[in-house]
Amino acid sequence: EAQVTQNPRYLITVTGKKLTVTCSQNMNHEYMSWYRQDPGLGLRQIYYSMNVEVTDKGDVPEGYKVSRKEKRNFPLILESPSPNQTSLYFCASSPRSGAETQYFGPGTRLLVL
Amino acid sequence: GENVEQHPSTLSVQEGDSAVIKCTYSDSASNYFPWYKQELGKRPQLIIDIRSNVGEKKDQRIAVTLNKTAKHFSLHITETQPEDSAVYFCAAPYTGGFKTIFGAGTRLFVKA
């Protein structure tokens, strides 16, 4: 089944404790992206990747890192989480770019205390 | 700057009525305009999209119209049903199609 998966689905952590949210897709898509969703603000793009080893900043990259060592995986890294990073995070992928249908993962709800 | 404005933020309609949601974008080079539906607790899913070489696209009860001159596009839902209740997001690509900006969303309530 073609899909985008994320782990964990729910995470409670404390300020400053490094964490990684994984994202994987099995559709051989070149383009992958991370979004955060906050009430009243919609979906805001954190980082995107056009292909292996090619990443760029979205609108809200501060406090986040990403890597794209393999085509199928695009982990989101919070090196020193802060309470303002409490949010619902979605990973998405599309065949080649943001100018095509994006397929979203199930979401990761993060609470930073 | 890069922006997508979406209105209204909340929309309540009676079952069977029509609903219209509008979005305005700022980059005249944008050429792809999708609409996503997000049901409560679920992930966003594409419901319809349009490319800049057409002015209207229809799929059963939903349609999207595009006005490139005015830089706005709209989602039209006819004969609304309770299962249409959800949050709807518009989006537009920037930076050559790699960056994506979403509207803030419209929460649609369809009253039975």
Side-chain angles (χ1 to χ4, degrees):
Chain A
E1 179 190 354
Q3 59 182 344
V4 179
T5 57
Q6 293 177 230
N7 282 291
R9 295 289 313 281
Y10 304 92
L11 180 60
I12 301 174
T13 190
V14 295
T15 298
K17 187 176 181 182
K18 181 179 179 179
L19 66 92
T20 299
V21 184
T22 65
C23 173
S24 184
Q25 49 92 7
N26 63 0
M27 296 172 279
N28 200 36
H29 285 172
E30 292 181 359
Y31 182 87
M32 297 185 75
S33 182
W34 276 103
Y35 298 91
R36 61 177 289 174
Q37 183 174 18
D38 302 289
L41 298 177
L43 293 154
R44 293 181 293 166
Q45 193 171 41
I46 302 170
Y47 271 94
Y48 59 92
S49 170
M50 294 81 89
N51 214 324
V52 175
E53 301 291 4
V54 184
T55 63
D56 206 349
K57 297 177 181 178
D59 275 346
V60 289
E62 296 79 18
Y64 304 95
K65 285 176 58 177
V66 293
S67 68
R68 188 91 181 273
K69 294 184 171 59
E70 307 164 283
K71 199 171 189 178
R72 64 183 294 127
N73 297 323
F74 189 45
L76 179 70
I77 303 154
L78 285 71
E79 298 242 331
S80 183
S82 62
N84 65 10
Q85 292 178 298
T86 291
S87 188
L88 176 59
Y89 292 87
F90 286 101
C91 178
S93 73
S94 74
R96 284 168 299 278
S97 75
E100 299 172 286
T101 304
Q102 293 190 49
Y103 298 87
F104 285 81
T108 295
R109 191 167 289 280
L110 173 65
L111 173 61
V112 183
L113 300 173
Chain B
E2 303 160 340
N3 191 34
V4 174
E5 290 191 5
Q6 182 172 346
H7 299 282
S9 57
T10 306
L11 180 58
S12 184
V13 300
Q14 205 67 36
E15 182 178 2
D17 287 350
S18 295
V20 181
I21 303 169
K22 299 181 179 181
C23 283
T24 303
Y25 60 98
S26 58
D27 186 356
S28 56
S30 293
N31 59 359
Y32 173 72
F33 307 95
W35 286 92
Y36 291 84
K37 176 183 181 181
Q38 185 180 29
E39 297 177 348
L40 190 63
K42 302 283 183 66
R43 71 193 79 185
Q45 290 190 294
L46 183 84
I47 54 170
I48 195 167
D49 56 11
I50 191 169
R51 294 203 173 269
S52 57
N53 57 346
V54 298
E56 183 174 0
K57 184 177 178 181
K58 193 172 182 180
D59 183 3
Q60 299 183 349
R61 295 187 298 108
I62 60 173
V64 55
T65 58
L66 172 64
N67 182 329
K68 283 220 75 178
T69 304
K71 289 191 277 188
H72 67 69
F73 57 110
S74 300
L75 175 70
H76 304 255
I77 306 174
T78 58
E79 300 172 28
T80 53
Q81 301 167 4
E83 52 264 38
D84 294 329
S85 295
V87 178
Y88 293 82
F89 293 100
C90 62
Y94 288 79
T95 319
F98 291 110
K99 195 171 178 181
T100 304
I101 296 185
F102 281 79
T106 297
R107 186 173 294 277
L108 174 65
F109 296 96
V110 180
K111 296 176 285 187

